[in-house]
Amino acid sequence: MGQYNHILLAADFNNESEIVEKRAAALKGTFSATLSIVHVLEPISIAYGGEFPVDLGDLHKELEKQALSQLRELGQKLGVPEDRQHLEVGITEKEVLRVAKDNSVDLIVMGSHGRHGLALLLGSTANAVLHHADIDVLAVRVSKNSK
């Protein structure tokens, strides 16, 4: 395995992601690498309730506020300064790859969940990143029993 200089942790803040965070931190230490974190919020569209449109903008702002708080907390836990903590809005796999490219990352670390629901039809985020990345991707298997 070659030397990694800049590692990007794709954080999803679910209950099972601690093992992914630990793996990224261990790799940071092993390679004396720079660590950055990205979390992506998928955009919330306008939902229609009957004849009247319901704007979910306030809900999105609250979700963004909560995500930023979680990102800052994780950054502090892993020793990642705010300028390397990225909160993005968009399609997860595209934003992870864009942040990796924009920041000269040479390894992406992310969780790989078992496929279920729509993921069976659409494919997992980890799978999409893995197949479109020009750099190494470590997909850490996470499950409810991980820790």
Side-chain angles (χ1 to χ4, degrees), residues 51-71:
E51 295 179 19
F52 303 101
V54 178
D55 185 356
L56 297 175
D58 288 342
L59 175 59
H60 181 78
K61 287 178 187 172
E62 182 59 31
L63 290 173
E64 194 169 342
K65 181 180 168 186
Q66 289 176 3
L68 185 60
S69 174
Q70 290 175 298
L71 182 61

Side-chain angles (χ1 to χ4, degrees), residues 4-71:
Y4 294 113
N5 297 305
H6 193 170
I7 298 167
L8 179 65
L9 168 61
D12 63 5
F13 304 134
N14 67 34
N15 294 333
E16 299 88 37
S17 61
E18 187 176 350
I19 191 167
V20 182
E21 297 161 8
K22 287 180 179 178
R23 190 71 45 92
L27 288 166
K28 171 189 173 190
T30 297
F31 294 107
S32 298
T34 298
L35 180 63
S36 294
I37 306 169
V38 63
H39 177 72
V40 182
L41 287 174
E42 300 260 340
I44 297 179
S45 304
I46 294 180
Y48 291 90
E51 295 179 19
F52 303 101
V54 178
D55 185 356
L56 297 175
D58 288 342
L59 175 59
H60 181 78
K61 287 178 187 172
E62 182 59 31
L63 290 173
E64 194 169 342
K65 181 180 168 186
Q66 289 176 3
L68 185 60
S69 174
Q70 290 175 298
L71 182 61

Side-chain angles (χ1 to χ4, degrees), residues 101-122:
K101 183 177 182 178
D102 290 352
N103 292 277
S104 302
V105 166
D106 48 18
L107 175 66
I108 299 169
V109 178
M110 62 190 313
S112 177
H113 305 274
R115 292 181 171 202
H116 57 280
L118 286 177
L120 287 171
L121 298 173
L122 303 176

